[in-house]
Amino acid sequence: MATSLKINDALKERIQQLAVLRQRTPHWIMCEALMQYVEREETREQFKREALASWAAYQETGRHLTGEEVRAWLNTWGTEIESELPACHE
C-alpha cells in the first residue's frame, strides 16, 4: 500500500540528520517511528480496555484489593517470604 506523507522542511531535515547518524535511510527512520507509535497506542488502548473491564467487574461484584494490600504483596516479591496474591474481598 503506497502512502504519501507531507512533512514540513524542518522535520524533514531532522529526519535526514538522524538517518545519517544512524546509517539508515530516512524511509527506515519514518517507518520505525510510525511502528513504535502504533504499538504504543495499541498498548495504551489495551490497558484502557482492561481497566474498564476491571472497573465493570468491581461495580458488579464489589470484590477488590486495597492499594495497601497490593503494595504489601508486591513488597514480598523477590524475597524469601514471597507470598501469593491475596484473595479479593468485598
Side-chain angles (χ1 to χ4, degrees), residues 18 22 24-40:
L18 188 57
R22 298 290 182 260
R24 299 287 188 168
T25 64
H27 176 264
W28 186 92
I29 298 290
M30 290 184 284
C31 286
E32 182 69 15
L34 286 168
M35 183 181 66
Q36 288 181 21
Y37 174 81
V38 169
E39 287 176 355
R40 183 179 65 239

Side-chain angles (χ1 to χ4, degrees), residues 69-80:
E69 290 167 330
V70 172
R71 277 188 296 281
W73 169 62
L74 290 174
N75 286 336
T76 71
W77 285 18
T79 69
E80 292 180 13

Side-chain angles (χ1 to χ4, degrees), residues 62-66 69-70 73 83-90:
R63 296 181 51 75
H64 68 284
L65 291 172
T66 66
E69 290 167 330
V70 172
W73 169 62
S83 62
E84 295 292 321
L85 175 65
C88 290
H89 52 84
E90 292 187 27

